[in-house]
Amino acid sequence: MSAKVIDGKAFAAKVRGQVAEHVTRLKDEHGITPGLAVVLVGEDPASQVYVRSKGKMTLEVGMKSVEHKLDANTSEADLLALIDQLNNDDTIHGILVQLPLPKHLNEDLVINSIDPSKDVDGFHISNVGLLGTGQKSMVPCTPLGCLMMLRDHHGSLSGLNAVVVGRSNIVGKPMSQLLLGDSCTVTIAHSRTKDLPDVVRGADIVVAAVGRPEMVPGDWIKPGATVIDVGINRIDAPEKGEGKTRLVGDCHYESCAEVAGAITPVPGGVGPMTIACLLANTVTSCCRANGLDEPEGLTA
Ligand code: GUN
């Protein structure tokens, strides 16, 4: 079997189109423009790239974009004061503090100082608790993007065996909660899991989010299963020339694609969905803040 390739780039463009439609409606019918504030502390090059891309796409869907770039030595008090100001700004519906933060800043304290209703990353402890108890929350963007792709491919996920490889707070744990919410039978596997290949072989849905290049080979995949590869790893690619690199996922693409029913490529799979879902969460937050119906299909 050769797997259907789930085109995350096209899917993300579709989601951004839906977000843009909601933004237009909010402006035309209610005179409201959703606003997203991104806070970057320091000059980490990868973070700068992400933040630039987020700002550009926020404007493209018609929302207000605010960027706060703070010096790497910014004190915790100054950062908390900025977050307080954004929490109290009615034109801002989403606040994202780019991670990782410089070492002298307490990441948990900073994230938990964001108003949970504006926490479009879904990292605030209140949102973690709400998701864990099946209540309305802000859902972390990458798992939300994976869920949207899975729902689109399968229709109903009810009763399917899902194995999430990886137990991070950002992907593995919220992903497993979302799959459980859609009535999957969920296993969270990780580096200490016994007989990991056999555990994965039982899965109708595999979500790989471990950060280890090409760790999941095709012979771990049940024929016809859906493989969602969250990993983005840069590895040496001497075949492309000296010093060259390429991006690979946590799954070995070629061998998994031979067995799977559907698979997300790297790049161009889950990656583009993360920012699309950030924009979706901002619209959702804006609707909730104004007592309006939430956009259908853009939430968990
Ligand atoms: N750094 C890398 N990915 C993310 C993300 O999704 N949210 C935040 N806040 N920081 C990140």
Side-chain angles (χ1 to χ4, degrees), residues 124-141:
H124 190 290
I125 196 71
S126 298
N127 283 317
V128 175
L130 289 167
L131 178 62
T133 49
Q135 299 178 72
K136 195 184 270 191
S137 66
M138 278 288 142
V139 175
C141 304

Side-chain angles (χ1 to χ4, degrees), residues 141-270:
C141 304
T142 300
L144 179 58
C146 296
L147 183 74
M148 284 182 188
M149 292 195 285
L150 284 167
R151 283 178 175 169
D152 183 68
H153 179 68
H154 284 272
S156 169
L157 306 182
S158 182
L160 296 177
N161 281 327
V163 173
V164 179
V165 190
R167 52 177 157 177
S168 71
N169 290 335
I170 292 181
V171 183
K173 285 178 196 161
M175 186 76 245
S176 57
Q177 301 284 8
L178 290 172
L179 291 165
L180 200 53
D182 271 30
S183 301
C184 289
T185 303
V186 182
T187 303
I188 308 177
H190 47 78
S191 56
R192 302 285 180 92
T193 297
K194 277 190 190 158
D195 303 324
L196 181 60
D198 273 346
V199 171
V200 176
R201 277 183 199 115
D204 303 305
I205 293 169
V206 180
V207 180
V210 270
R212 285 184 53 190
E214 302 181 318
M215 191 190 104
V216 178
D219 68 359
W220 291 13
I221 304 297
K222 175 158 102 175
T226 301
V227 176
I228 304 289
D229 193 345
V230 181
I232 302 177
N233 311 286
R234 192 165 283 286
I235 62 166
D236 291 338
E239 73 281 3
K240 288 169 66 179
E242 204 186 307
K244 297 283 186 196
T245 60
R246 66 189 174 101
L247 289 179
V248 297
D250 291 348
C251 300
H252 184 266
Y253 184 80
E254 287 75 18
S255 60
C256 288
E258 269 178 34
V259 188
I263 187 166
T264 60
V266 178
V270 173

Side-chain angles (χ1 to χ4, degrees), residues 7-21 57 60-61 269 272-273 275-277 279:
D7 184 345
K9 218 170 142 185
F11 202 112
K14 189 172 119 188
V15 171
R16 290 198 305 275
Q18 289 171 289
V19 169
E21 278 174 29
M57 292 196 185
E60 272 173 15
V61 295
M273 289 298 288
I275 294 184
C277 288
L279 303 175

